[in-house]
Amino acid sequence: MNKEYIIKDILNFILIDGKINQDALSSDLIKNKDKILKYLNNGYKVSTVSTIQQCEICNKPAGPINYFSDGYWIWPKWLNHYLTEHNIKFPKKFLERMELNNYNIDKNFVRQVLEDDNTILE
């Protein structure tokens, strides 16, 4: 029997009824913000959509609705805007995964997970 992979959708942790959870925003400095941003930018591209997401907070374009993954989590490109402009706080388990990966993404592993028929998106 093959191993079952589960990829967690970050939006399930930061959205409530399709809107950014205000409790996920912080005025505090985000530890390792540059490393987190690099990690988000270096994810394996899962899908591309030509639509641009508007920011709910500042009403500026937040970025494309392209999705990226590290094989454990999946996130939209526009999340970068919320990190850089509004200090969004990520779930502890997401940050722990980044640290465990030493802020690097093994794209071969991601490809393996995404191509596996047993992979589940949560």
Side-chain angles (χ1 to χ4, degrees):
M1 184 166 125
N2 291 340
K3 178 178 178 170
E4 180 179 87
Y5 296 104
I6 298 174
I7 300 177
K8 296 185 183 302
D9 185 343
I10 192 74
L11 297 182
N12 291 333
F13 294 84
I14 62 170
L15 296 180
I16 296 176
D17 296 327
K19 302 284 185 190
I20 294 290
N21 177 359
Q22 295 302 307
D23 291 339
L25 302 175
S26 175
S27 59
D28 299 334
L29 290 176
I30 306 277
K31 181 182 170 192
N32 296 319
K33 190 174 188 176
D34 290 339
K35 289 180 179 181
I36 294 168
L37 190 59
K38 180 183 170 204
Y39 192 87
L40 295 175
N41 284 326
N42 288 323
Y44 182 88
K45 190 182 282 189
V46 175
S47 69
T48 302
V49 180
S50 61
T51 305
I52 300 292
Q53 175 79 20
Q54 286 298 116
C55 178
E56 299 173 22
I57 299 166
C58 66
N59 214 23
K60 294 179 184 175
I65 306 177
N66 298 335
Y67 280 83
F68 295 85
S69 181
D70 60 2
Y72 300 94
W73 291 84
I74 190 166
W75 60 88
K77 177 74 173 175
W78 54 260
L79 207 54
N80 297 9
H81 170 84
Y82 283 89
L83 175 63
T84 58
E85 300 297 321
H86 306 295
N87 286 335
I88 195 162
K89 296 182 289 187
F90 294 115
K92 183 179 178 184
K93 291 201 178 282
F94 186 43
L95 297 172
E96 288 171 350
R97 173 54 55 191
M98 289 181 198
E99 289 177 18
L100 190 64
N101 288 347
N102 201 25
Y103 296 94
N104 293 304
I105 295 173
D106 180 348
K107 294 192 178 177
N108 289 324
F109 170 74
V110 180
R111 209 173 0 263
Q112 174 188 334
V113 169
L114 293 174
E115 291 173 359
D116 192 303
D117 290 336
N118 294 317
T119 298
I120 297 169
L121 180 61
E122 269 186 357

